[in-house]
Amino acid sequence: MTSSSARECSIANALAVVGERWSLLVLREVLLGNLRFDAIAAATGGSRDILATRLRTLVEAGVLERRLYSEQPQRYEYLPTQAGRALQPVLLALMEWGDRYVTQGPPPTVWEHSCGAELHLAAVCAACGAPVGSGESRLVRLGGVDRSSRSEPE
Amino acid sequence: MTSSSARECSIANALAVVGERWSLLVLREVLLGNLRFDAIAAATGGSRDILATRLRTLVEAGVLERRLYSEQPQRYEYLPTQAGRALQPVLLALMEWGDRYVTQGPPPTVWEHSCGAELHLAAVCAACGAPVGSGESRLVRLGGVDRSSRSEPE
DNA sequence: AGTAGTGGGTTGGATTATCCAACCCAGCAG
DNA sequence: CTGCTGGGTTGGATAATCCAACCCACTACT
């Protein structure tokens, strides 16, 4: 996975934490308030053994927190940490894209501004504030090795 | 997968298309202008057989387009479609989260605009066109069940 | 002509991951 | 004392991934 020639990138790092199967669906449920194991298993449709593994790794990664909510009998629930809540834009971006390009029919969910119009996530330039097309951007590697995407690397 | 009790959701639908291993990294490269098979394989670090499979499914899903760029010898490259370009917010959201919560030290790579400034993710109002602060938005679920969720439980 | 290199993949075999149903255990409730 | 709930674990089958090696059509070097 961590091949020496592979691009070093926070997208890949993020996916290493939440990119496995079911992880983002688990996050979706937890952010919706479905905190208990059985509820998560039912709502995601994932098998219980994998979900148990995912929940464990997400807790270890600091994305979720496992909390005892009943002493007798012992019962646990999963809460989002700050890092977990910070994944909301990722889920929102996926939802918007799925609404538009995958889901048949009208978007089941709409994100709207307080003025009533629809909201969308967009990549904007920090300086111009303008929306950015795909050809107008590039990844720049900091810290010595500048690996521009347009030129051939080595 | 398509369990009858699982939540119907565009997040899950989106992940069914681009949620497999390497898919989003392939998209990252293509959006950066790395269009050729060998370049994608080198930059992502994925094995060539899986990347060939991913590229095929992404083309079938309408996210990429396979185009002949040389007749003799026959050479192909992969271009993002409109749906592919629309995934940029997903990648940017993942990168921002990875920068903040996974990657140690400063961001190894920065996505920058052609003007030199950094790109970042923003919620923009379709009517106003203005950036939107937290608290001014809400999710509306159409089609019967209105599951209104607070924008940020902080 | 022979050799090496490039681009875009396939193939085979080993290793992991995922799926699914069944099971376990503790604490209740009838 | 039987069954139900919550939160998992176990075993075995199936699918996905990894890795190195190979293939083919062409071009470039010697």
Side-chain angles (χ1 to χ4, degrees), chain A residues 1 3 5-15 17-22 24-25 28-29 31-34 42-45 63 82-95 97-103 107-115 117-128 130-142 149-150 152, chain B residues 1 3 5-7 9-15 17-22 24-25 28-29 31-34 36 39 42-45 63 80 82-95 97-99 101-103 107-115 117-128 132 136-142 147 149-154:
Chain A
M1 261 197 270
S3 173
S5 59
R7 189 191 298 278
E8 217 171 290
C9 160
S10 287
I11 297 175
N13 294 345
L15 287 173
V17 177
V18 295
E20 289 177 300
R21 217 164 200 142
W22 305 110
L24 285 175
L25 294 182
R28 176 195 72 188
E29 290 307 316
L31 290 179
L32 285 173
N34 252 340
T44 61
V63 175
Q82 192 193 354
R85 287 190 297 271
L87 280 166
Q88 204 180 31
V90 174
L91 294 175
L92 212 47
L94 278 168
M95 190 186 75
W97 189 83
D99 279 346
R100 188 115 153 200
Y101 295 101
V102 187
T103 305
T109 316
V110 168
W111 193 26
E112 72 176 26
H113 192 204
S114 44
C115 76
E118 286 186 23
L119 278 181
H120 298 285
L121 284 173
V124 298
C125 175
C128 329
V132 176
S134 79
E136 313 169 26
S137 58
R138 60 174 202 153
L139 270 189
V140 180
R141 170 174 295 203
L142 306 175
S149 68
R150 296 304 177 132
E152 271 301 297
Chain B
M1 265 156 279
S3 173
S5 59
R7 187 190 301 276
C9 160
S10 287
I11 297 174
N13 294 345
L15 288 172
V17 176
V18 296
E20 288 176 300
R21 217 166 199 140
W22 305 110
L24 285 174
L25 294 182
R28 176 194 71 188
E29 291 308 315
L31 289 182
L32 287 170
N34 251 341
R36 301 203 300 273
T44 61
V63 175
Q82 191 193 353
R85 288 189 296 273
L87 280 166
Q88 198 181 31
V90 174
L91 294 175
L92 212 45
L94 278 168
M95 193 181 76
W97 189 83
D99 279 343
Y101 294 102
V102 186
T103 306
T109 49
V110 171
W111 206 326
E112 74 175 27
H113 193 207
S114 44
C115 75
E118 287 185 24
L119 287 185
H120 67 102
L121 196 65
V124 293
C125 175
C128 329
V132 177
E136 310 174 26
S137 62
R138 64 188 198 119
L139 281 181
V140 181
R141 177 156 295 204
L142 307 173
R147 177 190 291 272
S149 92
R150 59 278 169 197
S151 62
E152 196 58 8
E154 275 179 284

Side-chain angles (χ1 to χ4, degrees), chain A residues 27-50:
Chain A
L27 254 298
R28 176 195 72 188
E29 290 307 316
V30 171
L31 290 179
L32 285 173
N34 252 340
L35 308 181
R36 299 207 294 273
F37 185 89
D38 277 16
I40 292 169
T44 61
S47 32
R48 310 168 65 81
D49 54 346
I50 299 174

